[in-house]
Amino acid sequence: MKTVTLTVNGVKRKVDASPDLVLLDLLREELDLTGTKQSCDRKGQCGACTVIVDGKATRSCLKKVVDLEGADVITVEGLGTPDNPHPVQEAFVLTGAIQCGYCTPGMIMATKALLDQNPDPDTAAIKKALAHNLCRCTGYVKIIDAIKLAGKFLRGETTPAKVRANIDKDKMIGESHPRPSSMLKACGLAKFGGDYKMDNMLEIAAVHSTEFHAIIKSIDTSAAKEMPGMVGVMTAEDIKGTNRLPFIALDQPVLCEDKVRAYGDPLAIVAAETREQARAAAAAVKVTYEKLPVMKTPEEALAPAAVQIHPHSPNLCFQQPQIKGDADKALKDAHGVIEADFSTQMNHQSPLEPEACFCYLDGNELVVIGRSIMIHAHAGMIQGAVGAEKVRYIEPYSGGQFGIKANISSEGIAAAAAMHFKRPIRYIPSLAESFLITSKRHPFSMKTKLAADAKGNLTAYFNDFIMNKGAYFLLGPIMAGRALHMLNGAYNIPNISALVKLVYTNNGSGGAARGAGPPQVMFALESLMDMMAEKLGMDPLEFRKMNALKPGQTRSTGAPIDQTSFPELCDDIRPHYERAKKDAAAFNKKGGKIKRGVGIACMSFGIAEAGDRADNAVEINPDDTVTIYAAIADPGEGNDSMLSQLAAQVLGLPLEKIKLYTRDTDKTVAAGPSAGSRQTYMGGGALVNGLEKMAKAMEEAGSKTYSGLKKAGKPTRYEGTKQIAGKDEFDPKTGQTDSFDSQVHNIQMAEVEVDTETGKTKVLKMTTAVDAGPIIHPQNLEGQLEGGMDQGIGYALREEFVLGETKDWITFKFPTIADSFEVEFVKRETPRIRGTLGSTGIGEMTMVSTAPAVTNAIYNACGARIHHLPATPDKVKAAIAAKT
């Protein structure tokens, strides 16, 4: 040990530091300065741990404390407070640069260090200074905006007060009020899962399978039990509940008892006094296996001699046809037919926060503090799995999720440990471990045909697609169903023949991921649309507009639509499209190996499936504030703004009168998942229902106060509900069914450069045209569009998860600020017939149409048609070579 004297946030401290102690752990574990975050495994890849040391931005996970004698350290907590924020913190709040908030402290500290040295940086300087700071939510555009605004504050060109004065305090719908949680996140005070501590707590680590498919012969814990700090080891036999996390199938164990079906399956839990001790002991557990045949692909799993992965089901675990009209006849009679195969890769949602969770027993109630987008459902799943009498689920602030928290990962393991060891449990998996225990985006393999008549009208579509389910069922049929519900995209296709098959494999388990089914099938359809337009000699945009689905016409499910603005969006984006084509043509005239191209892709994304329901409540308090009780997660998309501004709008109250109680099963009822872009439409719709009841009571009482309502004999609490008619049940033979209640319409336009010698693609600009109804919060809408495009480009060009090989942000090829691009928005605000004050959802549809827009642009640039994502340089180069 070495005694080190350093100053932290103006306070001089003496620290006894071991040679291995890093600054990050000193700050978080010993000084409780948890605003400094960790995402990567102390590899300096994420920048979430950035602090300022002696005036320089420093990744604290790499800095040994023994090297900091006399150092001056500033963390985000030392920069400013919510009552007295630093101008940089103000700038991030006011520009909408804060979504989930997990990366925010590191971003803010890197910005402070940059502006101290260069008070007027250009975009290139900003990208260089923040090269090590990752963000998954924003797409980096608003972060760059925030840094430039902070520079203006520091140079005295404007002030936070002047910027805030431009916000209309009396306008709720269509105004970008600062998010309720944004300043808390900017100051590093928002508590995320890994920030919770409790006296007498244990840290745990899990033992994971090193085989893809094997029988467990033995688990030897003897060496582990002798390790320093060890408290105990538990295996499946120690779990008193069902040891199954029930969703649709009862096939996912908390801990595997007899067999492993994928690399990384959890086998045992090791508890110790510290995380390092738990991890060391877990590494000492020895597992003996009897290997079984490994089938990572559907083709291997469906082979005649393939081993059955689960005893309850054949490897072909689900299939559903969809038949509308007579596609075979239409294909035979068509003027033009395009036939092609497409495939998409396994992808990871990659929220920046690892799968941290905290659990403890409060009497006979198990309290789970973990990321979730459906806390009531997850509480019920955990209760039966671990044998708890009661479960209370609390959602901390979440470092993103993008569909990943539709399923339980660390929470089941931590809950089982809390029940067994009867002590508070903190489980902070490494990033590599988080990759193993979470769900993925399903890979699709698609055999397709698209037909049109001589006038360019679509006549038939065929898509026979297989989904690699991975080792566990999770939400497989839901993802398959969403792909079928939106199979026709934005278009009227009178004849459709489709068949989806889900296949168990020994690969990562597919679950919900932003877009959840449609991104894969839309990659195929939107590629085919460009191919068909070329075959017919038609303009791709005009071809799409003329085939737009119109009111009264039916989706692939047979359900009619009653409203659309998609043709108008085609007109709106037309001038941008013509400009982009001219720019690309002028550039390409110069010659050279770099070619520019323009591509479009479209989507009409369904929201609120038949039978969907949301419930919540609103209550006026004795101090005349109003509390919204709604189990509506907000892992970054802005549901806190949506709920607050709707309440202020309907009740005619100022925002400061609105309070939120949304992240706790206590005092709330289920409102459904924050998924499928549904919460504005469903949760917001239910809230408006309750608010309108309260507003009517206030009108009748002649008062907006608690005492006024009580005096008039009116209730002070009102329940709100939104219920969608119909049933979401596919006909087993035809796949026809009721469908979504609303749609959000979108066109993506990508402008790219392709190096024809290397195959490398660079996205220069994305233009998005969107209509989601009246915009409640413009910054939030733009942030969702920018973040969705950033994810979509990663999906298109580089991101691929390989189980057992993808271990960190480098191997995943996480998008950095250097990959950011110019954006432009074209917005329509057509009120939806049954919308929430006319509005519908927005979070996913940009992700859906971005990848095909990029690959269509690649083709436009150099003639290389990409059929298999991602469009890596080697694939593009090979496609260029194949056409010559």
Side-chain angles (χ1 to χ4, degrees), residues 68-124:
L68 291 174
E69 177 63 36
D72 182 67
V73 178
I74 306 173
T75 74
V76 70
E77 293 95 338
L79 200 60
T81 66
D83 292 331
N84 186 28
H86 189 276
V88 173
Q89 292 166 318
E90 287 268 33
F92 271 71
V93 169
L94 291 170
T95 54
I98 302 172
Q99 292 192 31
C100 83
Y102 195 78
C103 72
T104 299
M107 290 279 184
I108 284 174
M109 299 312 291
T111 299
K112 171 69 164 57
L114 166 64
L115 295 177
D116 284 347
Q117 299 297 318
N118 178 3
D120 192 10
D122 60 13
T123 298

Side-chain angles (χ1 to χ4, degrees), residues 171-503:
K171 182 182 179 183
M172 294 300 129
I173 303 303
E175 187 62 86
S176 296
H177 296 276
R179 293 188 183 197
S181 62
S182 59
M183 187 57 78
L184 202 65
K185 293 172 179 176
C187 295
L189 301 179
K191 289 188 73 172
F192 293 78
D195 300 338
Y196 285 81
K197 291 182 181 179
M198 193 174 282
D199 291 341
N200 199 37
M201 83 176 182
L202 295 175
E203 301 261 14
I204 64 170
V207 179
H208 297 279
S209 169
T210 56
E211 300 292 336
F212 282 85
H213 196 200
I215 295 170
I216 303 167
K217 301 298 289 183
S218 66
I219 301 176
D220 182 357
T221 63
S222 57
K225 290 177 179 177
E226 301 301 317
M227 299 286 285
M230 264 292 298
V231 172
V233 183
M234 64 177 294
T235 59
E237 64 184 12
D238 297 309
I239 296 177
K240 305 305 180 186
T242 63
N243 190 34
R244 289 294 181 275
L245 295 168
F247 224 123
I248 297 173
L250 297 175
D251 67 351
Q252 185 190 11
V254 176
L255 296 175
C256 296
E257 56 271 272
D258 57 353
K259 188 178 179 181
V260 297
R261 295 174 174 86
Y263 185 93
D265 270 354
L267 304 170
I269 300 169
V270 177
E273 300 296 339
T274 71
R275 192 182 322 154
E276 291 70 22
Q277 291 169 340
R279 289 178 177 177
V285 174
K286 297 178 181 178
V287 183
T288 304
Y289 303 95
E290 178 185 322
K291 294 185 179 181
L292 295 171
V294 175
M295 299 154 287
K296 296 184 182 179
T297 68
E299 292 75 18
E300 293 169 328
L302 294 177
V307 174
Q308 188 168 310
I309 294 172
H310 286 278
H312 70 273
S313 168
N315 292 342
L316 176 58
C317 54
F318 173 87
Q319 59 181 332
Q320 173 65 55
Q322 186 171 72
I323 307 297
K324 174 188 171 187
D326 189 342
D328 289 339
K329 183 178 185 303
L331 284 163
K332 183 179 178 181
D333 296 342
H335 171 75
V337 175
I338 299 290
E339 184 171 356
D341 293 349
F342 298 93
S343 67
T344 61
Q345 74 277 37
M346 182 175 289
N347 191 235
H348 196 262
Q349 301 90 329
S350 295
L352 210 61
E353 182 188 13
E355 296 297 298
C357 181
F358 194 91
C359 294
Y360 63 94
L361 286 167
D362 183 7
N364 66 346
E365 183 176 62
L366 173 66
V367 180
V368 178
I369 303 174
R371 296 212 322 274
S372 172
I373 56 171
M374 44 199 302
I375 54 178
H376 285 274
H378 283 174
M381 291 169 65
I382 288 172
Q383 182 176 356
V386 304
E389 187 173 334
K390 295 171 61 180
V391 173
R392 177 182 180 183
Y393 205 116
I394 300 171
E395 178 207 350
Y397 285 101
S398 294
Q401 67 90 24
F402 315 108
I404 207 167
K405 295 315 297 184
N407 292 107
I408 292 171
S409 56
S410 58
E411 299 80 19
I413 294 170
M419 292 294 294
H420 180 71
F421 294 108
K422 309 298 183 186
R423 287 174 63 178
I425 297 293
R426 185 167 71 168
Y427 181 27
I428 305 181
S430 66
L431 176 60
E433 191 179 3
S434 294
F435 273 126
L436 294 178
I437 64 177
T438 49
S439 63
K440 316 297 183 290
R441 186 185 296 278
H442 295 87
F444 277 39
S445 297
M446 297 165 280
K447 296 183 179 298
T448 66
K449 298 176 186 178
L450 185 68
D453 64 21
K455 294 182 180 179
N457 298 301
L458 295 174
T459 58
Y461 181 39
F462 170 88
N463 192 339
D464 187 345
F465 60 105
I466 297 176
M467 298 169 59
N468 188 332
K469 182 77 258 349
Y472 301 105
F473 209 54
L474 306 184
L475 299 170
I478 295 177
M479 304 304 104
R482 288 171 59 82
L484 290 175
H485 270 291
M486 295 181 239
L487 193 73
N488 62 286
Y491 312 117
N492 177 42
I493 310 178
N495 302 288
I496 289 177
S497 175
L499 176 64
V500 55
K501 298 177 181 178
L502 267 67
V503 182

